[in-house]
Amino acid sequence: MARINIIFYSMYGHTYKMAEAEAQGAREIEGVEVNIYRVQETVPEDILIKSGAKKAQESFKHLPIATLDSLKQADAIIFGTPTRFGMMAAQMRQFLDTTGGLWSRGELVGKIGSIFTTTSTQHGGQESTILSFHTTLLHHGMIIVGLPFTLPALNDTSSVHGGTPYGASAIINSENNSPTELELEIAKMQGKRVAEIAKKLFG
């Protein structure tokens, strides 16, 4: 059975909602095991409380915190991060910066890696976040999986929304304050695609 681990960081819960959609899509494929992990928060608690993030994070505090074993034990890893100035969040970067031992032993070589993200603006750097994240995966020798344009949702121009061939994404603004149904559908497609490929390679 192929094992897929979804590892995300989320401050206000938006990226968590995308992670849930990724997991839902992956679980549509028989013969795979899907687990979700959250990256450890590093922001001081008083700041989390003042910003409202502490309350928002209550919705996913039940999830286990990602460790190096969360990477080692997986056949495929789907990473999720909000965008910070066109790059991954510092919390995710800090987690990845602890993987030097895995890199030196080649323990992630040949595993599948895939990325999704969220931003608060349409041009907030979704694609640059995913593409720059790929650099770390390539250093680990991972097999990168994105989304093909054969998926109709990627060609939908009826509204402003996230979704790239590099990975699922969502635009979070004050009006919707949540990924749209289309963005969640694209995330589900990504999870399902990763699961299909993982099953072929490792099932």
Side-chain angles (χ1 to χ4, degrees):
M1 179 175 287
R3 180 168 181 168
I4 299 170
N5 286 350
I6 299 169
I7 298 177
F8 74 95
Y9 170 72
S10 186
M11 178 166 273
Y12 293 103
H14 308 119
T15 310
Y16 164 58
K17 290 179 182 178
M18 293 285 282
E20 288 281 7
E22 295 273 352
Q24 184 179 351
R27 289 179 178 133
E28 292 181 7
I29 304 302
E30 293 183 5
V32 300
E33 176 189 343
V34 183
N35 303 283
I36 308 179
Y37 299 90
R38 60 187 173 95
V39 168
Q40 179 71 56
E41 182 60 83
T42 61
V43 175
E45 187 167 6
D46 61 330
I47 296 177
L48 290 175
I49 293 171
K50 288 178 182 177
S51 66
K54 182 73 174 178
K55 183 178 181 180
Q57 291 178 359
E58 291 291 317
S59 64
F60 54 89
K61 71 175 185 178
H62 63 285
L63 293 172
I65 292 175
T67 65
L68 296 183
D69 283 341
S70 308
L71 301 172
K72 291 165 56 177
Q73 295 168 359
D75 296 306
I77 307 162
I78 306 175
F79 296 93
T81 177
T83 290
R84 299 287 187 264
F85 302 107
M87 302 180 74
M88 72 177 78
Q91 291 84 348
M92 180 62 76
R93 182 70 262 167
Q94 183 176 42
F95 174 64
L96 294 174
D97 283 347
T98 69
T99 62
L102 300 183
W103 171 81
S104 66
R105 296 186 295 273
E107 294 195 54
L108 303 187
V109 173
K111 295 180 184 291
I112 292 171
S114 198
I115 316 293
F116 64 94
T117 190
T118 59
T119 62
S120 59
T121 61
Q122 181 180 354
H123 303 293
Q126 295 184 352
E127 294 185 351
S128 62
T129 296
I130 296 174
L131 290 171
S132 60
F133 204 129
H134 285 168
T135 304
T136 299
L137 304 191
L138 290 169
H139 274 264
H140 275 292
M142 300 181 76
I143 302 166
I144 294 173
V145 172
L147 289 166
F149 270 106
T150 50
L151 298 175
L154 286 188
N155 294 289
D156 186 306
T157 58
S158 62
S159 63
V160 175
H161 60 81
T164 81
Y166 316 113
S169 60
I171 302 167
I172 309 300
N173 57 48
S174 58
E175 292 182 5
N176 58 34
N177 197 35
S178 178
T180 66
E181 288 301 316
L182 182 60
E183 290 166 336
L184 293 172
E185 184 62 29
I186 293 172
K188 285 175 58 179
M189 291 175 184
Q190 181 175 359
K192 184 176 181 179
R193 177 170 167 78
V194 169
E196 288 172 337
I197 296 173
K199 184 177 179 179
K200 289 178 182 178
L201 293 179
F202 306 107

